[in-house]
Amino acid sequence: MSGAHLAFATFLGVALSLPGCAATPARPTFDDLQVIARGQDSGGEFCSDFALTVAQARTFFAKSAAVDAMTLHDRYDLLPCWVRGTARDARGLWRWEIRAGGTARLESPAGDVTLLACDACDELLGGRARR
Amino acid sequence: MADEAQIKDGKLISSRVADRIQSGIEKGSLTTVHALVVHQTGAATSASSFSSYQAGQNGAHFLVDTDGSIFQTARVDQKCWHVGKIRAKCQEMKACAPDELKSINAILFKRGESYAVRIKNLHEHESDKSYPDRYPTNEDSLGIEIVSAFNERTDTYDAVNKSQNDSLAWLIGTLERLLAIGDADVYTHGSIGYKQKSEGSTANWKRP
């Protein structure tokens, strides 16, 4: 199974057991995905042009995998620029945030949060991503 | 009788420190220690850290458990991978010389590079500087991990508790004395790297 397929399987909520991966709760189908805001925390001037289209956000989630907090901290950088959005499914409204360094948070309608990271999203997240 | 801690063969010898050295996280000789970096683990138990250390990747030199127990997990004359990429210190302190600020901005705002590559390049640029003109790196610092869960819902670490802060104060005071490190050379990870800015913010090692 390729990395992309593996990530996509995780994206669909298939139960997987990988070192460093968090328990994977079910995820939304992202049929109704919307980008609602983008911005930056302090020190984020250099990535202030970070933006994603709906299609790019969908690709990010397809390529990303769930990770636990310790793995996220040890292996990934938390960049100060973000794009936030929502997704809706039968369970309700999901909220998400993707950061310019390839990390993300996905919050279920019940308030449970899954941390995500993408190892193959450099091109997607570059300054050229905006359309 | 007072416990006079000392360093011998890279080990901090004291009744307050338990030897739990994990050779897998030792990454080569550390010849100079300029600074200490305070981290939080992101997991509720020390067992998670020890399990991670056994994989032989990231780690730090000391681990402060939830009850204040101090474990030495790597020798102080060995490098550990605990810092990651550093920010530009002069930029954070708003103290860059004009030419240096220009160089930093050229790296950070370089078109055609992903943001991840830009901060990697900035880290390399900073690493060429001498301490204290830059933040500490794996090459010249010791790491102290505090066992603390990370709350995904609130996006924050659990607060460092009193037992941990008491132990941290003793450990940092001891290392400062034995390694001739000043108070200004102790950093929280969140203040120097591209991590949660709150990491280490509830750690209080300064005695009243």
Side-chain angles (χ1 to χ4, degrees):
Chain A
M1 185 182 272
S2 73
H5 285 118
L6 188 62
F8 191 60
T10 308
F11 164 68
L12 291 175
V14 175
L16 292 172
S17 179
L18 294 172
C21 288
T24 308
R27 301 206 203 171
T29 57
F30 289 115
D31 286 338
D32 181 21
L33 187 143
Q34 293 189 34
V35 172
I36 57 173
R38 67 186 184 90
Q40 65 195 73
D41 303 331
S42 64
E45 293 80 6
F46 75 95
C47 52
S48 62
D49 59 349
F50 175 55
L52 293 172
T53 63
V54 166
Q56 287 168 329
R58 198 184 300 277
T59 301
F60 177 90
F61 287 116
K63 289 185 171 182
S64 65
V67 292
D68 59 41
M70 187 181 283
T71 302
L72 192 78
H73 169 273
D74 287 353
R75 289 190 45 202
Y76 300 92
D77 294 305
L78 197 68
L79 267 60
C81 301
W82 45 262
V83 172
R84 291 175 186 155
T86 57
R88 187 176 291 279
D89 71 3
R91 285 165 287 183
L93 189 70
W94 297 66
R95 299 180 191 280
W96 54 264
E97 174 186 274
I98 298 173
R99 289 196 171 250
T103 60
R105 300 175 80 245
L106 177 63
E107 183 180 335
S108 77
D112 297 321
V113 173
T114 303
L115 304 175
L116 303 165
C118 181
D119 289 328
C121 292
D122 254 20
E123 183 72 19
L124 184 71
L125 300 170
R128 295 160 293 171
R130 188 159 41 164
R131 296 286 183 266
Chain B
M1 182 175 154
D3 174 22
E4 195 63 27
Q6 58 179 307
I7 291 172
K8 190 174 180 186
D9 298 328
K11 294 184 180 180
L12 179 57
I13 309 298
S14 165
S15 60
R16 294 192 64 162
V17 181
D19 179 352
R20 293 286 298 274
I21 289 173
Q22 315 282 306
S23 59
I25 62 169
E26 295 182 332
K27 303 296 182 184
S29 181
L30 177 64
T31 55
T32 306
V33 178
H34 287 134
L36 307 176
V37 181
V38 176
H39 304 257
Q40 288 182 270
T41 60
T45 66
S46 56
S48 293
S49 295
F50 284 116
S51 174
S52 170
Y53 292 168
Q54 282 170 6
Q57 294 296 313
N58 293 19
H61 299 81
F62 295 94
L63 181 68
V64 180
D65 211 339
T66 51
D67 64 356
S69 299
I70 302 171
F71 302 108
Q72 182 169 8
T73 47
R75 288 170 289 175
V76 299
D77 56 6
Q78 291 285 308
K79 287 183 269 192
C80 286
W81 295 343
H82 64 102
V83 179
K85 301 179 192 77
I86 55 171
R87 296 169 183 260
K89 185 177 182 181
C90 75
Q91 188 187 37
E92 297 290 319
M93 310 289 286
K94 302 193 187 313
C96 294
D99 283 352
E100 176 55 13
L101 185 58
K102 199 171 173 181
S103 298
I104 289 168
N105 283 337
I107 294 167
L108 283 177
F109 289 86
K110 187 173 182 182
R111 294 268 172 198
E113 299 269 35
S114 72
Y115 305 111
V117 169
R118 296 184 207 181
I119 64 163
K120 176 176 172 288
N121 292 342
L122 179 65
H123 168 79
E124 288 169 1
H125 173 81
E126 289 295 301
S127 296
D128 285 341
K129 298 177 182 175
S130 299
Y131 186 86
D133 292 339
R134 57 161 169 77
Y135 287 128
T137 68
N138 294 333
E139 303 297 318
D140 65 349
S141 68
L142 301 181
I144 301 171
E145 288 273 14
I146 302 169
V147 175
S148 306
F150 182 78
N151 186 326
E152 286 91 354
R153 286 192 182 210
T154 59
D155 209 19
T156 58
Y157 286 91
D158 284 357
V160 177
N161 68 40
K162 184 177 184 309
S163 298
Q164 290 175 314
N165 273 327
D166 287 347
S167 293
L168 187 65
W170 176 85
L171 179 59
I172 287 178
T174 300
L175 293 172
E176 284 183 343
R177 177 172 58 81
L178 294 173
L179 298 171
I181 292 169
D183 287 345
D185 302 314
V186 185
Y187 302 84
T188 61
H189 198 201
S191 67
I192 67 172
Y194 290 93
K195 303 295 177 184
Q196 280 280 347
K197 283 221 169 185
S198 65
E199 185 187 346
S201 62
T202 58
N204 181 9
W205 58 86
K206 292 162 186 143
R207 293 185 184 281

